[in-house]
Amino acid sequence: MVRTGRRWQLAFGAVVLLLLVVAGVVIFWHPWRVAVPGSPAGQDVPVTRSAIPASGEASRGNLPAGITQQQYDESARSLGGGGGREPAPAEVFYHLGMTRMGLKQFASAAACFAAIPDDAPGIGTVARLREGRAWLEAWNAPRAERLLWKFLQLAGSSHGVRDNDVLEAFDLLRYLLGVQLRLERQREILKAIHVTGKGDTIDTMLYCFPNLLRWDSSQAIAWAEDFLKRSPEDQALRVAVGRFRIRQGRLDEGESMLEKCCRADPDDLSALAGLLACHYERDDWEAIGRLVEPLPPPRETDPWLLSTIRGHHHNRQNRCRSAIECFRAVLLTDPANAEAYTGLAKSYELLGREPQRQIVLERTAALGRIANRLGCAVYRDSDLLPFLEIAELSESIGLRFHARAVAELILRLQEDHVGARSLLEKLDAEGAAADPLLAVLPPDLDTIADPALVRGDRGKVGQRGERVGGVPPRFRDIAREAGIDFERFDDMRGLSRILEQNGGGIAAFDYDRDGRVDLFFTNGCRLPRKERTGEQSNRLFRNLGGSRFADVTVAAGLWWNGYCHGCAVGDYNNDGFDDLYVTAFGENRFWHNNGDGTFSDVTDRTTTAVPVWSSSAAFADLNGDGYLDLYVVNYMQTTDDPPELCRSENDPNRYICCPATIFPAEQDVFFLSDGHGGFHDVTVQAGVTGVDGKGLGLVICDVDRNGLLDVYVTNDGTPNHLYMNQGVEAGSEPTTPAGAVLAVPRFREEAMVRGAAVDGYGHPNASMGIACGDYDNDGWPDLLSTHFYGETNILYKNLGDGIFVDETRASGLGPPSRLLLGFGAVFFDCDNDGWLDLFVTNGHVDDRTWDKRNVEPYRMPPSLYRNDRNGQFTEVSPSAGPYFARQYVGRSVATVDFDNDGDQDLVVSHQAGPSALVVNETPTACGSLTLALVGTGGSNRSAIGARIEVVGLDHPLVRELMGGTSYQATCDQRIHVGLGQHTPVPLLRILWPSGNVQEWQNVPAGSYMVVEGRADLVPAVR
């Protein structure tokens, strides 16, 4: 949902800021020596704990800037204490400097410390640290860094430096290098700390997993910009801000800055890496090639970003040996680099080396789970379970050094920790076992023969046609005038409880079978739930026709007070009336449609309560027996009484929404229908084991077109899940307590193997909603998942047979979504031209607009992307009508043709504002088909899983009736097919869930009811 894929990164930034304010809190009580790689002296630094002497000999000299003779004399008298001792000038300047630091007069403080010579007894060395700290507080990064390095150099020959002063210098340098994205150099500092065995939690995690703890939060960006304002000519800062611009999707600005940096210093590989990243975001491989080809062979000292993009370029050229050389250079210095593993997996796929590819993918998946647990470790370092999970995951994929480092950290925090002790014993017993990484990094790259370059047409986008009309899409919110006055109640009272953030769902379905689609919204209640008053309820609005709706919640028997989220619709008992399932925090409800305009609660009878926190749900016939089964996506474990809160002293309300990373995941549940109105939990038997998922979005469709429905779940901060249906295993059917035999389908989780688990960089995202549809008209269903602010939405193109590739950059959908937080998403044909466009509703989870330094908005405009028919999209939101001109806290969206006019409208749920009924007023001359399917015989009556094909065009035109999609929603289950100018339809083909196939020729545009097995298409009233 919500969360925060990168929300924990904000916490990481906050922790670093805290280190700046309270540095040196850890004091080590015995001497130690540490190598400081990359320091100006390049030497060992002996450090002993001692106090700064109270006296010294130095000449007063000139007074520092901002200091008067009177102030100096008063400070000297204060230090003398009336005892007759005359303090040395160095002592006086030090005292004045510390006083100015307390007054936040940092430039004056720096001048005071600068007046102290390096050789001032007992005080000269530490003065360089204090001077560097003062310039850091004054936002002068170059001066601060030079002085910090000088302090460490001087500390190597000084015996008057405390351990905690050295640690403070390390912390400040680590912070500076991180803000400047000089992560490779930062890791040298972290190594220096690690070899002492005295690093803290963040030191260890940053050292072991630098690629997973990335500096790309809005706070880090603001820091880098503030530093650059004070030092506009500093190359490192300009490069950092340019790279941050790329991460923000501001490609033109970033490219301009980085090009200037490359011209100023052609040997600056960090600037070159940033420029390559810009071209990578644009999918401009020609520009990447021009920059990459002249480069010498990769080195382990090259920036990781540079090497990974070089590797991706070589993979595209089928130069796998060169690609592996690049990824090898990264992994030898950072064996936990997810981006390098992603590229390496592609190399081995091209080479046909499946065993090596599997090892790499296992590591990538485990690193995704580690990334999620890192957030919990950063936020709650008093809870050692996430640390142990990180250590065990590391050990399971051969990262023994990482496992040992984290286990030793646990024992420093708790000496008697059994799990950590046991893991260390296991690692000791394994001894110097070969690292599995060596099995996938061949020592002799010359043994690799690159495959022949083959340019096939697999997954090729359909030919681009001339767009009819060219009039921009047009939409208008008519909810209020239509009689829909629903505003969700989330009981927001300034506590920022994570329960408040997911928002509500929508179902668009014709509950009374009058030919008009009705609308259902889920609602919240008072928290904790024991304080519920019954005032709030989910709401059902009946479509009266003529763009008018009436609230029939009470009359329909649906008034119920719970903290509800998602909803699923399907005719579970095949009686001709759609039933309703509602997810909630703690109390899911199942409502049976009585067929007379009312519903009955059958939750207990169907045993489908699921008393945890559920998000999305969907009906689908997953074993092919003609009855709808039910898949329920669960989110995570928390409580509403008392609520789990995260304090933020800077927030006016003193709380900030906790990130999802700090909560354990909940297990999804798969209910199988027994065909007699009962449902049975077969989650374990079916192999649905996404225990670390934290699921939010759900779609059920046939991704590999083998006739079996598969399940895709988007997860918050962990790799997504794709459960591939293996069919029913004969002879292993369990029985119910009543003796009924259950044909349980078996699933195998294959998201990572099939390319739909993480993004193209190998990182899991904070995935919320999911859109599914054939956007490129090649006949295969594609996927789009929405993500958190600072991440892009991800478009997974189906190459065929259910194999996906991240096409976000090539599609143009990346940069426009970077600075938005997406939830519900739908592919829909807004202008009936036969090509699926995309709608995404956006809105943040935290309202921090009170903070003047905050750049992340709370309310956001929705996004509409028009399909360019060549695999790319163009954002047309600004010209798409008044609804897109305003900002909302968007959550769920469903497509619906509520006015039966042959085009697709939208219904959108918002938080902190009214929900919207967005009518499609796009002027178009294109026709469409609207098909209401009724399954009979071997198909479920809802016909979920049916596949519709329009044959005879110059490209495939395929639509599928899916379970789920969007976010906590059920769309209008009539199939909509935009036809462009292709009317009548040359050949309409329907592949029913039962396997039956029916065809009709020369079908005119219009709306029809289609009953399986009947030869006629029954026209419906529009």
Side-chain angles (χ1 to χ4, degrees), residues 194 204-205 208-209 374 384 386-392 394 400-413 420 423-424:
H194 178 77
T204 301
M205 294 307 170
C208 291
F209 307 104
L374 280 172
L384 297 183
F387 292 97
L388 182 61
E389 292 172 339
I390 291 170
E392 291 175 341
S394 299
R400 297 188 181 89
F401 168 81
H402 302 68
R404 180 177 295 278
V406 179
E408 290 173 347
L409 171 66
I410 295 173
L411 291 177
R412 289 203 300 272
L413 297 172
L423 180 59
L424 283 176

Side-chain angles (χ1 to χ4, degrees), residues 313-371:
H313 167 71
H314 293 317
N315 272 339
R316 285 181 62 88
Q317 302 297 318
N318 278 32
R319 290 152 55 186
C320 299
R321 186 179 68 82
S322 298
I324 294 174
E325 186 178 14
C326 293
F327 301 129
R328 177 191 179 96
V330 176
L331 292 171
L332 289 177
T333 57
D334 177 18
N337 192 295
E339 296 178 22
Y341 283 121
T342 302
L344 195 60
K346 183 63 177 179
S347 299
Y348 287 127
E349 177 187 337
L350 294 171
L351 290 168
R353 298 191 176 187
E354 188 59 25
Q356 290 93 335
R357 178 174 175 267
Q358 287 297 328
I359 294 174
V360 171
L361 290 176
E362 287 173 6
R363 286 202 170 195
T364 309
L367 287 173
R369 293 191 288 272
I370 288 173

Side-chain angles (χ1 to χ4, degrees), residues 581-887:
Y581 185 81
V582 179
T583 67
F585 177 79
E587 301 176 54
N588 295 359
R589 311 309 295 174
F590 201 142
W591 301 92
H592 170 247
N593 190 331
N594 298 318
D596 58 0
T598 67
F599 291 80
S600 297
D601 186 343
V602 294
T603 309
D604 293 340
R605 193 173 74 202
T606 57
T607 64
T608 54
V610 191
V612 295
W613 188 359
S614 301
S615 51
S616 294
F619 287 103
D621 181 5
L622 290 164
N623 63 352
D625 66 352
Y627 290 92
L628 292 177
D629 310 304
L630 177 64
Y631 191 100
V632 180
V633 174
N634 292 325
Y635 190 36
M636 60 192 187
Q637 301 172 26
T638 186
T639 175
D640 65 334
D641 189 19
E644 298 185 79
L645 305 175
C646 290
R647 292 191 63 85
S648 174
E649 296 304 323
N650 295 326
D651 193 295
N653 293 317
R654 296 293 182 261
Y655 294 99
I656 188 173
C657 183
C658 297
T661 51
I662 72 174
F663 299 97
E666 277 288 3
Q667 169 72 59
D668 292 350
V669 179
F670 173 36
F671 290 107
L672 194 67
S673 171
D674 60 15
H676 302 285
F679 286 84
H680 304 271
D681 182 348
V682 296
T683 308
V684 176
Q685 299 95 314
V688 178
T689 56
V691 292
D692 61 345
K694 299 180 186 175
L696 288 171
L698 168 68
V699 64
I700 302 177
C701 64
D702 187 0
V703 300
D704 56 357
R705 286 171 43 182
N706 68 347
L708 300 173
L709 294 180
D710 312 298
V711 179
Y712 185 72
V713 180
T714 56
N715 294 320
D716 188 358
T718 60
N720 299 330
H721 291 142
L722 176 56
Y723 295 106
M724 299 300 296
N725 195 332
Q726 309 298 305
V728 176
E729 184 178 344
S732 61
E733 297 86 350
T735 58
T736 69
V741 176
L742 296 177
V744 180
R746 268 46 173 194
F747 292 88
R748 189 163 57 219
E749 203 289 296
E750 299 180 359
M752 189 64 71
V753 175
R754 292 179 174 270
V758 295
D759 63 21
Y761 296 101
H763 296 130
N765 295 273
S767 302
M768 270 74 80
I770 177 69
C772 184
D774 181 14
Y775 81 94
D776 52 0
N777 280 345
D778 66 353
W780 297 90
D782 310 296
L783 303 167
L784 178 129
S785 58
T786 59
H787 296 134
F788 201 75
Y789 187 93
E791 302 170 337
T792 70
N793 299 332
I794 300 297
L795 177 65
Y796 296 103
K797 173 181 166 58
N798 193 332
L799 299 176
D801 300 328
I803 304 298
F804 295 88
V805 64
D806 181 348
E807 284 288 283
T808 308
R809 292 171 296 280
S811 69
L813 290 173
S817 63
R818 176 79 69 181
L819 299 184
L820 295 170
L821 199 163
F823 274 89
V826 287
F827 283 120
F828 76 125
D829 188 352
C830 71
D831 52 5
N832 285 340
D833 68 346
W835 294 79
L836 292 177
D837 310 295
L838 175 67
F839 173 88
V840 181
T841 182
N842 306 300
H844 216 298
V845 298
D846 266 329
D847 184 358
R848 300 185 63 79
T849 53
W850 54 267
D851 185 354
K852 294 181 179 180
R853 293 179 58 84
N854 176 68
V855 298
E856 301 182 14
Y858 182 52
R859 300 178 185 273
M860 299 177 177
S863 301
L864 180 63
Y865 302 97
R866 192 169 189 174
N867 194 324
D868 291 336
R869 305 179 179 175
N870 60 354
Q872 297 181 333
F873 290 83
T874 298
E875 185 177 10
V876 294
S877 311
S879 60
Y883 176 70
F884 291 89
R886 293 187 289 271
Q887 297 184 340

